[in-house]
Amino acid sequence: MNGKIDTAQAAMLVINTILPTATVVLPVIISNYAEQDAPLSILLSTVAGLIVAAIVGTAIRVSNGAPFLTWVGERSSPIVATVLGLFMLQFYLDTTATILREFVNFIKDNVLLNTPVTVLVILILLITIYMVRQGIESIARVNSIVILLYGFFAPLFLFGIIHEMNVHHLLPMFDHSLASLTLASITPTTWMSEVAVLLFLAPYLKDPQKARIAGWVGLLFVAVLMLFSLVTALMVFGPEFIKLSAYPGFSAAGVVHFGRFFEKLDILFISYWVLSIYLKFSIFLFVTIECFKQTFRVSSSRPFIGALGLVIALECLFNWQNIDKLNLYNKEGRFLTFFLFNVLVPLAAIMLHRIQRARAKRRECET
Amino acid sequence: MKQRKQAIQPESNLPLPAGRPPLTARKTSCLLLCLPLLSTLITGCWDNRELNELGITSGSAYDWEDNQWKATYQVINPSSGASGMGGSAGGSTTSPPFITFTVKGKTIMEAIDKTNLTSTREMFFSHSRITVLGEAMARHGINQIIDMFLRKQDARETVFVFLAKGEAGAILDQLMQMTKNQGAGIQLMIEQESRLVSYYPGVRLYELAMALSSESGSAVLPEIRLTGHKIMDETTEVAVTDLPSRLALGKLGVLKGEKLIGWLTQKQAFGLSFITDKINKATIAFPSHPKTGETPDASFILQNSSTSVRPIWDKDHYVMDIHIKGSGVLTELGSDMDLNDRASISGMEASIEQHVLELVNNSWTEVRKLGADVTGFAVRIHRSDRKRWKQIEQTKSWDNVFRDIEIRPHVSIKIERTGLSNKSFKSVQQK
């Protein structure tokens, strides 16, 4: 079931690893700091994301696509790999639980007001577990179809909203200090750093040497789509109103209309978003299970998918039930943990490899 | 490397234990078991709503009375017929096309919930087209209404907002002749007005929120009023050719902060449309020979118009350099004039320009008197002079700066075509 995926599929996986929750969570956080300069902070965070992708790609290249924790174990010691694996497992469990919570919150706020959160969580989890059991190749194939649908939804959105857009809402540009822009770009940078899931997808890449390219291409697409979503919302609502809305991108979709016949099309775009968030959640669940497999060195993860899903569901239900706590974590807490696991861990792996190679060369020279 | 191979090995290639049924038979039986279970997922969970249990709201009105919110909802009557009201046939012809509920509450949502005490159907707001705010409520403050519309899941932020001088709820009782759905009818009215006449801008709720939360902190809302004293709320009353009382657009309300502070007349509103570049199409009546008399005797349809505003800091105050450019076609001429003569055309262009100039100046005088920046000058200054705007923001002196603003309007109108006659009919008669 777990066949290999090519570089294009990997790049498309990177897009849906980052974009679905980024379009929901980020606009409010960014526009609170940067207002009409919000697009600049997306550009800044993209640059940071490209650097993270380079680090992750290099780590995959030096390990030649080997399972990351196994490779770390071989290069350092099995204890180090297990301890690192436990921390990373905790990190991915937390992250997957927050994704599930953001998914559920959005659905509760916009579509299913009366349906209990527990029912939503169980349904989403059951569907996603089924997806993960089909393997990464199946996820990647479905993901490619969903990404291709952007070719339909993006122009539809644009043509429906073009009469409501006012380019002057983007002015004055460069109105905010570099400090504000940096603050605004910190949170999107944490999202961009999610490209690090490639570390755990590496064993399934047909060409692990090109992981860096997959990361870069994916991130560039994410940047373009984020800019598209943010700039259209800004041009429709202006920098002040955008701060009021919990989901500015979808508020903009609510304004989309074609004549007087097709109005209030937000539900159409929400349906498409649900497609993509299912893929994001399945990618993270898959990566969590991969992390579990590599940490505990089990050959088959199938018996554990349900158990890990249950842990994620419980964390989602009881740890992240306060929306203010989740917002605070997204705004301030995420950067630290994401920087640690998505940047420092692969960077440390590269350093380890370089040091060992240098030592080996020195030994060769001595002999 | 051995472990790596294990990690990517297909997990379903394990041999089947002896005695188990073949894989396809197991899959089929699983599928047959799961299919009935899947039907539980398509029930709409806890959020299913039956269409015949919903009261589809096409308009709402809010008043402030005895320190309480008074809300009126216009609900489409599904049993109503279409005779004489447009739309399709079917249902009872005597039954009104919509019914209204008026409820009171300490908060808006409390009032909405009280509709369930009188209505057999749950209110459904997603198809709302208009909302009317009473003058008393607008003077009390509209922030709570805006917040409710932006927060409530099924409230629609694209509704057109109007002001009513008296009781807003009364507006929703009035039947219309050409359309069955009054809310949709009023929406058509304002859309048509802003497309063809441009006196008032059609303001949707999110645009109102944008204007009030912008640097200017002010907004305008058109007034909807009844032309007569009687409310035509019986279906038999509208079966006449000339209604004694109709719905019409009146003045333009000016809001500052969250409160209504004054009104602009139709002419002042028209001038404001020129300043704020909201002209789509407009008819201008003007004197063709201004030297001989001021009585308008010619009409011009302004088909294209654009306004650019440039703020200039002049020693101690701002000067707004307003350039209005427009072009269109002559549609009516009551004087003796040869339109092949360039001088005649230039004279008329100058007369139209003078008329627009008067509209703009008249509007600006009233807007400055009210002290509400409905012109959007604050936004223009922020965009073009960031440093000074930051100073104004820090010292919170925008009201003083606004009062000292001087405008310098420049109007350039071009008559591009003169219609199907080269001379006026009056000139032919004299010969």
Side-chain angles (χ1 to χ4, degrees), chain A residues 2 16 39 78 100 116 149 153 161 168 181 186 195 201 204 223 225 230 267 270 275 295 324 350:
Chain A
N2 276 331
N16 263 344
L100 182 58
L149 282 175
F153 282 99
I161 211 166
H168 293 108
L181 287 178
I186 280 177
V195 70
L201 298 181
Y204 304 97
L225 291 166
L230 199 63
I267 200 69
I270 287 173
L275 275 178
T295 305
D324 52 329
I350 297 167

Side-chain angles (χ1 to χ4, degrees), chain A residues 30 135 169 203 220 226 231 248-249 275 287:
Chain A
I30 302 171
H169 284 153
L220 287 174
M226 270 302 291
V231 168
L275 275 178
V287 167

